[in-house]
Amino acid sequence: MRRSRLAYAPLALPIWALAEFFVFVAVAHAIGAGWAILLLAVSTLAGIALLRREGIKGWRAFQEAARENRPPGAGVADSLTGLGGALLLTMPGFITGVAGLLLLLPPGRGLARRGIERFAERSLGSAATGDLFGPRKVKVHSGAPVTVVVVDEEPPAGRTPPPAIEGEIVR
């Protein structure tokens, strides 16, 4: 039987708090205790302001998707990533602050959004995920076993892909 990841939370939380403490002590030693406390306060206030902005932005994206009658999943996943980053910024600590900042910047936000989409696909199944995020573009290569490759981007220049049938997964 596979053990749930939540089973490790009682062990992970004290380790995380201890790591935050040691990082704070190291930063306070490097720049001074007053500046370290001020930096934590500024990041918390910025996180609170970003929580409001990201929440409003996410709600508007959801309403726009509903008005245009298209799947809201990509906008919702992007908003969840932004809200998670802002929430991490509100928590006092340099580790959570850096993690929140990474989720707010475009490269980290894109990675987290794709992770949310993959998690939703594993949890809900491809039919429900298609309703949330829209149809996936796939290429089916012919061969002994049929292989389905999900393509999110075009192949690199100079490389010709094998012949494929392009289409959308409906069910």
Side-chain angles (χ1 to χ4, degrees), residues 138-160:
V138 299
K139 293 184 179 179
V140 179
H141 301 281
S142 60
V146 175
T147 309
V148 177
V149 181
V150 177
V151 177
D152 290 330
E153 56 194 47
E154 293 300 317
R159 184 172 165 227
T160 57

PDB file of all heavy atoms in Angstrom, residues 138-160:
ATOM      1  N   VAL A 138      -2.560  16.195 -29.821  1.00  0.00           N
ATOM      2  CA  VAL A 138      -1.742  14.988 -29.731  1.00  0.00           C
ATOM      3  C   VAL A 138      -1.310  14.559 -31.118  1.00  0.00           C
ATOM      4  O   VAL A 138      -1.901  14.946 -32.120  1.00  0.00           O
ATOM      5  CB  VAL A 138      -2.498  13.817 -29.054  1.00  0.00           C
ATOM      6  CG1 VAL A 138      -2.900  14.168 -27.657  1.00  0.00           C
ATOM      7  CG2 VAL A 138      -3.693  13.400 -29.869  1.00  0.00           C
ATOM      8  N   LYS A 139      -0.283  13.755 -31.161  1.00  0.00           N
ATOM      9  CA  LYS A 139       0.166  13.111 -32.386  1.00  0.00           C
ATOM     10  C   LYS A 139       0.213  11.628 -32.129  1.00  0.00           C
ATOM     11  O   LYS A 139       0.821  11.176 -31.166  1.00  0.00           O
ATOM     12  CB  LYS A 139       1.547  13.626 -32.807  1.00  0.00           C
ATOM     13  CG  LYS A 139       1.527  15.079 -33.226  1.00  0.00           C
ATOM     14  CD  LYS A 139       2.877  15.524 -33.731  1.00  0.00           C
ATOM     15  CE  LYS A 139       2.804  16.968 -34.172  1.00  0.00           C
ATOM     16  NZ  LYS A 139       4.085  17.443 -34.631  1.00  0.00           N
ATOM     17  N   VAL A 140      -0.449  10.861 -32.965  1.00  0.00           N
ATOM     18  CA  VAL A 140      -0.472   9.409 -32.833  1.00  0.00           C
ATOM     19  C   VAL A 140       0.442   8.851 -33.899  1.00  0.00           C
ATOM     20  O   VAL A 140       0.225   9.052 -35.085  1.00  0.00           O
ATOM     21  CB  VAL A 140      -1.905   8.861 -33.003  1.00  0.00           C
ATOM     22  CG1 VAL A 140      -1.897   7.350 -32.878  1.00  0.00           C
ATOM     23  CG2 VAL A 140      -2.828   9.485 -31.991  1.00  0.00           C
ATOM     24  N   HIS A 141       1.502   8.178 -33.474  1.00  0.00           N
ATOM     25  CA  HIS A 141       2.464   7.586 -34.393  1.00  0.00           C
ATOM     26  C   HIS A 141       2.063   6.143 -34.657  1.00  0.00           C
ATOM     27  O   HIS A 141       1.755   5.403 -33.732  1.00  0.00           O
ATOM     28  CB  HIS A 141       3.880   7.642 -33.800  1.00  0.00           C
ATOM     29  CG  HIS A 141       4.324   9.025 -33.488  1.00  0.00           C
ATOM     30  ND1 HIS A 141       4.791   9.883 -34.447  1.00  0.00           N
ATOM     31  CD2 HIS A 141       4.350   9.717 -32.327  1.00  0.00           C
ATOM     32  CE1 HIS A 141       5.102  11.035 -33.887  1.00  0.00           C
ATOM     33  NE2 HIS A 141       4.835  10.960 -32.591  1.00  0.00           N
ATOM     34  N   SER A 142       2.093   5.757 -35.916  1.00  0.00           N
ATOM     35  CA  SER A 142       1.731   4.371 -36.224  1.00  0.00           C
ATOM     36  C   SER A 142       2.926   3.465 -35.933  1.00  0.00           C
ATOM     37  O   SER A 142       4.069   3.847 -36.044  1.00  0.00           O
ATOM     38  CB  SER A 142       1.324   4.257 -37.686  1.00  0.00           C
ATOM     39  OG  SER A 142       2.388   4.644 -38.518  1.00  0.00           O
ATOM     40  N   GLY A 143       2.639   2.271 -35.559  1.00  0.00           N
ATOM     41  CA  GLY A 143       3.673   1.288 -35.241  1.00  0.00           C
ATOM     42  C   GLY A 143       3.009   0.103 -34.592  1.00  0.00           C
ATOM     43  O   GLY A 143       1.789   0.025 -34.483  1.00  0.00           O
ATOM     44  N   ALA A 144       3.802  -0.850 -34.125  1.00  0.00           N
ATOM     45  CA  ALA A 144       3.238  -2.042 -33.499  1.00  0.00           C
ATOM     46  C   ALA A 144       2.352  -1.648 -32.311  1.00  0.00           C
ATOM     47  O   ALA A 144       1.157  -1.796 -32.366  1.00  0.00           O
ATOM     48  CB  ALA A 144       4.338  -2.984 -33.088  1.00  0.00           C
ATOM     49  N   PRO A 145       2.922  -1.096 -31.233  1.00  0.00           N
ATOM     50  CA  PRO A 145       2.030  -0.531 -30.231  1.00  0.00           C
ATOM     51  C   PRO A 145       1.771   0.929 -30.607  1.00  0.00           C
ATOM     52  O   PRO A 145       2.676   1.645 -31.016  1.00  0.00           O
ATOM     53  CB  PRO A 145       2.820  -0.630 -28.930  1.00  0.00           C
ATOM     54  CG  PRO A 145       4.235  -0.685 -29.339  1.00  0.00           C
ATOM     55  CD  PRO A 145       4.272  -1.270 -30.731  1.00  0.00           C
ATOM     56  N   VAL A 146       0.543   1.369 -30.505  1.00  0.00           N
ATOM     57  CA  VAL A 146       0.216   2.760 -30.835  1.00  0.00           C
ATOM     58  C   VAL A 146       0.674   3.631 -29.684  1.00  0.00           C
ATOM     59  O   VAL A 146       0.342   3.389 -28.536  1.00  0.00           O
ATOM     60  CB  VAL A 146      -1.292   2.930 -31.084  1.00  0.00           C
ATOM     61  CG1 VAL A 146      -1.636   4.375 -31.304  1.00  0.00           C
ATOM     62  CG2 VAL A 146      -1.716   2.092 -32.268  1.00  0.00           C
ATOM     63  N   THR A 147       1.454   4.649 -30.004  1.00  0.00           N
ATOM     64  CA  THR A 147       1.990   5.559 -29.005  1.00  0.00           C
ATOM     65  C   THR A 147       1.307   6.903 -29.153  1.00  0.00           C
ATOM     66  O   THR A 147       1.230   7.439 -30.251  1.00  0.00           O
ATOM     67  CB  THR A 147       3.507   5.747 -29.203  1.00  0.00           C
ATOM     68  OG1 THR A 147       4.102   4.460 -29.284  1.00  0.00           O
ATOM     69  CG2 THR A 147       4.101   6.521 -28.064  1.00  0.00           C
ATOM     70  N   VAL A 148       0.820   7.452 -28.060  1.00  0.00           N
ATOM     71  CA  VAL A 148       0.205   8.776 -28.077  1.00  0.00           C
ATOM     72  C   VAL A 148       1.172   9.725 -27.400  1.00  0.00           C
ATOM     73  O   VAL A 148       1.588   9.501 -26.267  1.00  0.00           O
ATOM     74  CB  VAL A 148      -1.148   8.777 -27.337  1.00  0.00           C
ATOM     75  CG1 VAL A 148      -1.719  10.172 -27.296  1.00  0.00           C
ATOM     76  CG2 VAL A 148      -2.103   7.822 -28.007  1.00  0.00           C
ATOM     77  N   VAL A 149       1.545  10.776 -28.101  1.00  0.00           N
ATOM     78  CA  VAL A 149       2.474  11.763 -27.581  1.00  0.00           C
ATOM     79  C   VAL A 149       1.744  13.095 -27.484  1.00  0.00           C
ATOM     80  O   VAL A 149       1.227  13.586 -28.479  1.00  0.00           O
ATOM     81  CB  VAL A 149       3.705  11.916 -28.509  1.00  0.00           C
ATOM     82  CG1 VAL A 149       4.669  12.932 -27.948  1.00  0.00           C
ATOM     83  CG2 VAL A 149       4.373  10.585 -28.722  1.00  0.00           C
ATOM     84  N   VAL A 150       1.679  13.675 -26.287  1.00  0.00           N
ATOM     85  CA  VAL A 150       1.047  14.973 -26.120  1.00  0.00           C
ATOM     86  C   VAL A 150       2.074  16.029 -26.480  1.00  0.00           C
ATOM     87  O   VAL A 150       3.183  16.042 -25.954  1.00  0.00           O
ATOM     88  CB  VAL A 150       0.558  15.168 -24.674  1.00  0.00           C
ATOM     89  CG1 VAL A 150      -0.023  16.548 -24.497  1.00  0.00           C
ATOM     90  CG2 VAL A 150      -0.454  14.100 -24.327  1.00  0.00           C
ATOM     91  N   VAL A 151       1.706  16.925 -27.385  1.00  0.00           N
ATOM     92  CA  VAL A 151       2.633  17.934 -27.880  1.00  0.00           C
ATOM     93  C   VAL A 151       2.145  19.299 -27.437  1.00  0.00           C
ATOM     94  O   VAL A 151       1.029  19.690 -27.740  1.00  0.00           O
ATOM     95  CB  VAL A 151       2.722  17.870 -29.421  1.00  0.00           C
ATOM     96  CG1 VAL A 151       3.632  18.954 -29.935  1.00  0.00           C
ATOM     97  CG2 VAL A 151       3.194  16.511 -29.862  1.00  0.00           C
ATOM     98  N   ASP A 152       2.986  20.009 -26.686  1.00  0.00           N
ATOM     99  CA  ASP A 152       2.659  21.364 -26.281  1.00  0.00           C
ATOM    100  C   ASP A 152       3.408  22.390 -27.112  1.00  0.00           C
ATOM    101  O   ASP A 152       3.135  23.572 -27.042  1.00  0.00           O
ATOM    102  CB  ASP A 152       2.988  21.571 -24.808  1.00  0.00           C
ATOM    103  CG  ASP A 152       2.044  20.791 -23.906  1.00  0.00           C
ATOM    104  OD1 ASP A 152       0.889  20.591 -24.306  1.00  0.00           O
ATOM    105  OD2 ASP A 152       2.468  20.386 -22.825  1.00  0.00           O
ATOM    106  N   GLU A 153       4.395  21.952 -27.872  1.00  0.00           N
ATOM    107  CA  GLU A 153       5.169  22.887 -28.682  1.00  0.00           C
ATOM    108  C   GLU A 153       5.643  22.194 -29.949  1.00  0.00           C
ATOM    109  O   GLU A 153       5.589  20.977 -30.071  1.00  0.00           O
ATOM    110  CB  GLU A 153       6.349  23.423 -27.877  1.00  0.00           C
ATOM    111  CG  GLU A 153       7.228  22.314 -27.338  1.00  0.00           C
ATOM    112  CD  GLU A 153       8.180  22.806 -26.280  1.00  0.00           C
ATOM    113  OE1 GLU A 153       7.758  23.521 -25.379  1.00  0.00           O
ATOM    114  OE2 GLU A 153       9.361  22.450 -26.390  1.00  0.00           O
ATOM    115  N   GLU A 154       6.118  22.970 -30.867  1.00  0.00           N
ATOM    116  CA  GLU A 154       6.591  22.451 -32.151  1.00  0.00           C
ATOM    117  C   GLU A 154       7.981  21.833 -31.979  1.00  0.00           C
ATOM    118  O   GLU A 154       8.733  22.200 -31.089  1.00  0.00           O
ATOM    119  CB  GLU A 154       6.646  23.582 -33.183  1.00  0.00           C
ATOM    120  CG  GLU A 154       5.272  24.109 -33.544  1.00  0.00           C
ATOM    121  CD  GLU A 154       4.360  23.059 -34.152  1.00  0.00           C
ATOM    122  OE1 GLU A 154       4.834  22.285 -35.008  1.00  0.00           O
ATOM    123  OE2 GLU A 154       3.188  22.987 -33.758  1.00  0.00           O
ATOM    124  N   PRO A 155       8.378  20.889 -32.860  1.00  0.00           N
ATOM    125  CA  PRO A 155       9.718  20.289 -32.751  1.00  0.00           C
ATOM    126  C   PRO A 155      10.796  21.321 -33.066  1.00  0.00           C
ATOM    127  O   PRO A 155      10.537  22.315 -33.740  1.00  0.00           O
ATOM    128  CB  PRO A 155       9.692  19.168 -33.794  1.00  0.00           C
ATOM    129  CG  PRO A 155       8.598  19.516 -34.723  1.00  0.00           C
ATOM    130  CD  PRO A 155       7.604  20.327 -33.940  1.00  0.00           C
ATOM    131  N   PRO A 156      12.012  21.110 -32.574  1.00  0.00           N
ATOM    132  CA  PRO A 156      13.106  22.054 -32.834  1.00  0.00           C
ATOM    133  C   PRO A 156      13.402  22.164 -34.333  1.00  0.00           C
ATOM    134  O   PRO A 156      13.136  21.245 -35.105  1.00  0.00           O
ATOM    135  CB  PRO A 156      14.307  21.461 -32.092  1.00  0.00           C
ATOM    136  CG  PRO A 156      13.805  20.296 -31.333  1.00  0.00           C
ATOM    137  CD  PRO A 156      12.414  20.004 -31.759  1.00  0.00           C
ATOM    138  N   ALA A 157      13.958  23.302 -34.708  1.00  0.00           N
ATOM    139  CA  ALA A 157      14.275  23.550 -36.110  1.00  0.00           C
ATOM    140  C   ALA A 157      15.305  22.539 -36.601  1.00  0.00           C
ATOM    141  O   ALA A 157      16.226  22.166 -35.892  1.00  0.00           O
ATOM    142  CB  ALA A 157      14.818  24.966 -36.280  1.00  0.00           C
ATOM    143  N   GLY A 158      15.120  22.067 -37.830  1.00  0.00           N
ATOM    144  CA  GLY A 158      16.055  21.132 -38.424  1.00  0.00           C
ATOM    145  C   GLY A 158      15.718  19.675 -38.140  1.00  0.00           C
ATOM    146  O   GLY A 158      16.321  18.781 -38.703  1.00  0.00           O
ATOM    147  N   ARG A 159      14.780  19.437 -37.247  1.00  0.00           N
ATOM    148  CA  ARG A 159      14.403  18.062 -36.912  1.00  0.00           C
ATOM    149  C   ARG A 159      13.018  17.786 -37.480  1.00  0.00           C
ATOM    150  O   ARG A 159      12.066  18.475 -37.156  1.00  0.00           O
ATOM    151  CB  ARG A 159      14.394  17.891 -35.406  1.00  0.00           C
ATOM    152  CG  ARG A 159      14.114  16.483 -34.994  1.00  0.00           C
ATOM    153  CD  ARG A 159      14.311  16.303 -33.502  1.00  0.00           C
ATOM    154  NE  ARG A 159      13.694  15.037 -33.146  1.00  0.00           N
ATOM    155  CZ  ARG A 159      12.897  14.862 -32.123  1.00  0.00           C
ATOM    156  NH1 ARG A 159      12.623  15.861 -31.352  1.00  0.00           N
ATOM    157  NH2 ARG A 159      12.374  13.691 -31.886  1.00  0.00           N
ATOM    158  N   THR A 160      12.941  16.798 -38.331  1.00  0.00           N
ATOM    159  CA  THR A 160      11.640  16.475 -38.915  1.00  0.00           C
ATOM    160  C   THR A 160      10.975  15.387 -38.086  1.00  0.00           C
ATOM    161  O   THR A 160      11.570  14.338 -37.822  1.00  0.00           O
ATOM    162  CB  THR A 160      11.795  15.979 -40.371  1.00  0.00           C
ATOM    163  OG1 THR A 160      12.663  14.853 -40.369  1.00  0.00           O
ATOM    164  CG2 THR A 160      12.350  17.076 -41.260  1.00  0.00           C
TER     165      THR A 160
END
